[in-house]
Amino acid sequence: MGAASSPVPTPEPAPVAAARRLLASQRRVQPEQIRVISAQAVDWPNSCLGVEWPDLACAEVITPGWRVILELEGQQYTYHTDAAGAQVVLASAPPPQIGAVRMNWREAGSQPCSQAQIGADGVAFGACGGVLMGAAFAHPQRAAELAHFYQTYAPFEVDSGVIQFAFLGGGTQTASAVEQRALAEWVRGTIWELQAGPEDPFGLALEWRRQGGIAGFCDHLRVYLSGIAYADSCSTGTVEPAGSYFLTLDELKQLYQWVDQYAPVEREISDSATADSMQIQLKFLGSGTQSADASDEDDWLNFAQHLYGLMP
């Protein structure tokens, strides 16, 4: 008599799997930590899957889909999806627990319009007028960076017609237009890494690597549009953080001038013919159209090396 075969697990419907992946990504957990409370097929009354908010155009057409209710850490989240799970919309969620609000953000230029609140302990984000998802910062250093901004700058508001940005600072320094731009880029990056993941960085402007030489250099620097530079070193054989640095106002002005003027460039310098060979790599992610010459690239290399030397 042969051994009884094990039952084959029933595959999870695509809409359920899509909702689980989205919640896991936004809350920075593994999908296996999320429990499915219920999942049922539904005919939604419009193309917005029955989840509507101001200024959202919805076609009045019956749209087959699913209502999926998930549980994470004792709290429930309801998602509406289409039949294939390609469209997933948050319909209800627990009230965000993000601490004292430091920044309010609304960007109408995105599709759909997006909004966020940045608090001392995390971020609440979602579609304008819709349900907000609350999540901890994707990186622990974001809380320290926010505290630095809060303690440095006085409150201000910016309304460009596309972006509305209110900074609820506790400092005394008036943020210049350049510094306001840096803060706005920091908000964008903080939201982006929760939505897309920290593996896909937003706002990288300059990247520099130095490896080899008699001293055994193994250095790496990334400079972001937020005005923050991050360094790490692998000289010990493992990659270890080597510090971070807030660019000064003059350094920010210079960075933005380059970024706005020049097109992207990648450059590699190597003297591998020598015994103490040194390799230097430069990646510049400008948004301009002007082609850089060798002198410009040298300026960027010197700028990066200077910033690396300022790391605490």
Side-chain angles (χ1 to χ4, degrees), residues 40 54 103 112 116 182 199 239 283 288:
Q40 61 182 129
M103 300 178 179
E199 300 79 15
V239 178
K283 180 186 290 186

Side-chain angles (χ1 to χ4, degrees), residues 206-289:
L206 184 67
E207 187 171 19
W208 169 84
R209 294 179 186 272
R210 176 178 61 181
Q211 191 166 358
I214 295 176
F217 291 114
C218 189
D219 306 322
H220 181 207
L221 179 82
R222 291 152 293 138
V223 185
Y224 287 84
L225 295 175
S226 62
I228 307 178
Y230 304 92
D232 54 61
S233 172
C234 56
S235 58
T236 61
T238 59
V239 178
E240 299 178 355
S244 62
Y245 171 78
F246 292 90
L247 273 63
T248 66
L249 178 57
D250 286 342
E251 290 164 344
L252 264 177
K253 288 178 179 178
Q254 180 64 85
L255 178 67
Y256 289 154
Q257 178 184 335
W258 285 332
V259 167
D260 294 342
Q261 182 176 356
Y262 293 103
V265 169
E266 290 193 34
R267 178 179 175 185
E268 185 168 344
I269 304 170
S270 176
D271 56 352
S272 56
T274 62
D276 58 342
S277 62
M278 175 86 76
Q279 288 82 39
I280 296 177
Q281 295 174 318
L282 174 74
K283 180 186 290 186
F284 172 76
L285 302 174
S287 57
T289 58

Side-chain angles (χ1 to χ4, degrees), residues 153-168:
Y153 297 109
F156 66 81
E157 292 188 15
V158 174
D159 187 348
S160 69
V162 174
I163 292 175
Q164 296 175 340
F165 179 30
F167 175 71
L168 311 177

Side-chain angles (χ1 to χ4, degrees), residues 165-209:
F165 179 30
F167 175 71
L168 311 177
T172 58
Q173 182 175 323
T174 299
S176 67
V178 169
E179 290 163 318
Q180 290 177 8
R181 175 179 176 179
L183 286 165
E185 295 291 355
W186 184 87
V187 174
R188 282 199 179 102
T190 299
I191 299 169
W192 174 266
E193 62 192 8
L194 284 169
Q195 296 174 324
E199 300 79 15
D200 185 15
F202 176 90
L204 181 63
L206 184 67
E207 187 171 19
W208 169 84
R209 294 179 186 272

Side-chain angles (χ1 to χ4, degrees), residues 88-196:
V88 182
V89 180
L90 182 64
S92 69
Q97 303 295 320
I98 62 172
V101 175
R102 305 301 195 204
M103 300 178 179
N104 287 309
W105 175 268
R106 186 179 189 275
E107 187 168 2
S110 57
Q111 293 298 325
C113 169
S114 63
Q115 65 175 338
Q117 290 184 326
I118 311 292
D121 302 324
V123 184
F125 59 96
C128 297
V131 177
L132 296 183
M133 170 65 74
F137 294 110
H139 288 289
Q141 67 261 34
R142 298 293 172 260
E145 291 165 0
L146 178 62
H148 168 81
F149 296 141
Y150 176 78
Q151 293 162 8
T152 301
Y153 297 109
F156 66 81
E157 292 188 15
V158 174
D159 187 348
S160 69
V162 174
I163 292 175
Q164 296 175 340
F165 179 30
F167 175 71
L168 311 177
T172 58
Q173 182 175 323
T174 299
S176 67
V178 169
E179 290 163 318
Q180 290 177 8
R181 175 179 176 179
L183 286 165
E185 295 291 355
W186 184 87
V187 174
R188 282 199 179 102
T190 299
I191 299 169
W192 174 266
E193 62 192 8
L194 284 169
Q195 296 174 324

